[in-house]
Structure formats: C-alpha cells, structure tokens
C-alpha cells in the first residue's frame, strides 16, 4: 500500500504523517472499515494533536459506531481547536439531536448559522429540531432556506470530508 510506504519511508514530518493517516482514515470510513478508520485517526492524533479535522473525522466514526459520548468528546475538541468551523457545530449538533438533547442541538445549529449563514445543512438540521419540538412553522422556514441555498442534492452532504 503506497500510503503505508510513505509512513515507513521517513519522508514526512509528524503533521504530514498525521494528515496522511487522516486521509487514509477517511477512505476506510467511506469503504465501511470503521475500526481501521478509527485506528488511523487515533494514530493521526498521536502524531499531531493540534489538527481539528482529525478529531472531527474521528467523531464521525464514533457517531457511525453508535458511540455518541466519544463523538461528542471529539467534536468538542475539534471546536476548541477551530471554533470558527460551522461544520463542527453541525456535526456536534447532530449527536446532541440523536441523543434527544434538542436544546444543545439547537444551540449548535444556531452557532453554525451565525458562522456560515449559507450553510444549508445547518438550516436543514435545525428544521429537524423545530419539527421535533412541534414548531412546524419554523421547521418549514428552515427547510425552505436550506432548499433555497442548495437546491440540488449533494452526494457528500451527509458525509463531508475535512482534509
């Protein structure tokens, strides 16, 4: 495997190796190899604990493995490292929403929209919280806004890449 040869060849510094592990982890995640993806994200964090995207990607794997508390810890760390990433707030909000914590989910979606007012996924997800709360008027308004911003379906909307 070419990626493994790079790791063993000593041509990459720690940050570059961390990114390479993270990129391979994304590929494993997309293939459904969640344990291997998790191992690569863990190794990337060992090499460089300052890369927010690696924590966020690991958080997605924990979410897919139905480990919401671990996912939250990773999204929290990603946000600490990069508090201006709307995507990290949306990802964390999705975990809160899945756990039934609508208030925290709503706060995260609101923050994502503050950071990026054209982030369709944030409106779509916030619309889901409003729907769950029975506020159908606000849910419809958010769904309308999401459709207005991004009228074409995106194959990566539910599985964003970070690095």
């Amino acid at each position: 495997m070419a990626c493994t040869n790079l790791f063993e060849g000593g041509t990459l510094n720690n940050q570059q190796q961390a990114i390479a592990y993270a990129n391979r982890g994304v590929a494993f995640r997309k293939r459904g190899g969640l344990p291997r993806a998790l191992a690569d994200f863990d190794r990337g964090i060992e090499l460089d604990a300052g890369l927010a995207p690696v924590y966020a990607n690991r958080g997605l794997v924990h979410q897919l493995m139905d480990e919401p508390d671990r996912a939250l810890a990773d999204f929290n760390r990603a946000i600490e490292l990069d508090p201006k990433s709307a995507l990290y707030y949306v990802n964390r909000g999705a975990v809160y929403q899945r756990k039934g914590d609508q208030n925290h989910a709503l706060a995260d979606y609101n923050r994502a929209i503050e950071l990026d007012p054209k982030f369709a996924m944030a409106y779509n997800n916030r619309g889901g919280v409003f729907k769950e709360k029975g506020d159908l008027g606000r849910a419809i308004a958010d769904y309308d806004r999401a459709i207005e911003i991004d009228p074409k379906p995106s194959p990566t909307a539910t599985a964003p890449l970070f690095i």
Side-chain angles (χ1 to χ4, degrees):
M1 186 182 270
C3 201
T4 302
N5 291 340
L6 276 176
F7 300 147
E8 295 170 356
T11 60
L12 301 176
N13 66 32
N14 278 11
Q15 184 178 58
Q16 291 167 329
Q17 271 200 352
I19 291 169
Y21 273 105
N23 285 333
R24 189 172 72 177
V26 169
F28 280 132
R29 185 189 78 223
K30 290 182 76 148
R31 276 192 8 196
L34 299 181
R36 292 212 47 201
L38 187 59
D40 275 354
F41 295 131
D42 287 344
R43 181 67 179 131
I45 289 167
E46 286 173 24
L47 289 164
D48 188 337
L51 295 173
V54 183
Y55 285 97
N57 272 293
R58 189 173 72 175
L60 288 173
V61 170
H62 284 304
Q63 196 171 5
L64 292 169
M65 295 174 78
D66 199 26
E67 298 172 340
D69 293 331
R70 289 181 175 189
L72 282 176
D74 280 339
F75 292 133
N76 286 340
R77 182 66 178 136
I79 289 168
E80 286 174 19
L81 292 169
D82 184 3
K84 294 189 186 273
S85 172
L87 182 58
Y88 301 162
Y89 285 96
V90 166
N91 286 337
R92 187 175 72 179
V95 177
Y96 281 131
Q97 189 173 359
R98 187 170 177 194
K99 288 181 71 156
D101 188 344
Q102 297 170 335
N103 292 331
H104 278 106
L106 191 59
D108 276 351
Y109 298 144
N110 287 338
R111 181 66 180 136
I113 290 166
E114 287 172 21
L115 291 168
D116 184 356
K118 295 192 182 247
F119 193 6
M121 191 185 308
Y123 287 98
N124 185 66
N125 289 9
R126 189 175 73 174
V129 172
F130 286 136
K131 184 178 84 174
E132 290 168 9
K133 287 177 160 256
D135 191 342
L136 298 181
R138 289 175 85 180
I140 290 168
D142 273 354
Y143 293 142
D144 285 345
R145 183 70 179 127
I147 292 166
E148 176 187 315
I149 292 168
D150 191 7
K152 296 181 183 175
S154 170
T156 61
T158 58
L161 299 178
F162 295 93
I163 295 178

